[in-house]
Amino acid sequence: MTILFCSVGRRAELLKNVRKSMGKDGRIIATDMTNTAPALYFADAYHVVPAITDPTYIDVILDVCRKENVDVISTCIDPEIMLLAKHREDFKKLGILVLTPMEETAKLCFDKYCMYCYLREHGIPTVQTYGDLTSFENAYTDGAISFPVFVKPRTGSGSVGARIIHTIMDLQVAFNTEPDLIVQEYMGNALDLDADVYIDTVSHEVVSIFTKQKLETKIGGASKTISFKDSKLVEFLINSLKPFSFNGPIDVDVFYRDGRYFLSEINPRFGGAYLHAFGAGVDFIQMIQQNVNGLANTPAFMAYEEGIAMLMYDSVVVCKV
């Protein structure tokens, strides 16, 4: 299998895990818009490409796929997910499996307020969310929500701009400078959880779930986590994901409060803390290989140990560029 990871940035450990899983039988290709992206140097071959906003971007990536005989393509950044989903048929013509959701599901995942509305429409417990200042102020006046609240950009990624706000005056100031915010109920008294989930690209069923509690978060992702098992959470996730059309690995943020689970966000790509799942023996790369071969994976849930911790630390790449 030859797998292409686009926009690899700092995801060096992910590529190292892919190499460990595939051994010498597979090839890793990586792209980024600059040759100083550290993860490029853990691939078998890399290509410097335009920014994803460049009108030639997809043509360049298709050329990379032809040159490197790519079998499967994925991306490491949220804004590119929609782009790859939109051009799925172009890659399919080359026999390439695209590890992104279908286009409509990709749109929902990128727009956090649309995702909230969709979850509510399907009766899936989620975090109370307001799409504009006026609707929040009305709810606040009616006593339906109180401070503190949590705000973040409607279409942001990597937790950029996400923060706690304590007063109505501060919230109004925030909206004056960033009108595209959403306001959410603050879940500070809930357990902050994360799940790495694999949706089989042949059977289109959830076949693997790895769950962990976040112990520490830095730069928009969990930096310390610990594994746990709960059959009720597995059931919650399987049922909650049914209304969507995912394809491959996804990362799901969940809160647990007062005996109930609440789905928060879904990132339809390898999560930044998938490293924990792989280290605990949950190998999505082998599942991808099975799907590339046209075979469905057998569902296997809670096939790992509880109490296994992931503790991230910084490292460096020293190389000639």
Side-chain angles (χ1 to χ4, degrees), residues 261-298:
Y261 287 108
F262 299 84
L263 197 154
S264 174
E265 288 188 24
I266 305 175
N267 301 304
R269 53 169 170 73
F270 279 99
Y274 166 71
L275 309 173
H276 190 177
F278 184 83
V282 179
D283 191 343
F284 286 0
I285 308 305
Q286 290 301 311
M287 297 177 195
I288 294 169
Q289 176 73 75
Q290 185 88 334
N291 286 162
V292 166
N293 292 336
L295 302 172
N297 289 282
T298 301

Side-chain angles (χ1 to χ4, degrees), residues 242-256:
K242 284 180 180 178
F244 300 93
S245 297
F246 290 112
N247 206 48
I250 67 172
D251 174 59
V252 186
D253 290 328
V254 179
F255 288 108
Y256 181 76

Side-chain angles (χ1 to χ4, degrees), residues 96-116:
I96 297 169
L97 174 63
V98 181
L99 294 179
T100 65
M102 299 304 111
E103 193 171 349
E104 286 306 309
T105 292
K107 289 179 183 177
L108 288 171
C109 291
F110 194 59
D111 188 316
K112 295 177 178 63
Y113 186 68
C114 286
M115 170 63 81
Y116 164 76

Side-chain angles (χ1 to χ4, degrees), residues 135-154:
S135 60
F136 171 81
E137 288 177 329
N138 291 337
Y140 178 64
T141 300
D142 293 340
I145 190 167
S146 60
F147 286 94
V149 294
F150 197 74
V151 301
K152 53 189 171 184
R154 179 168 175 162

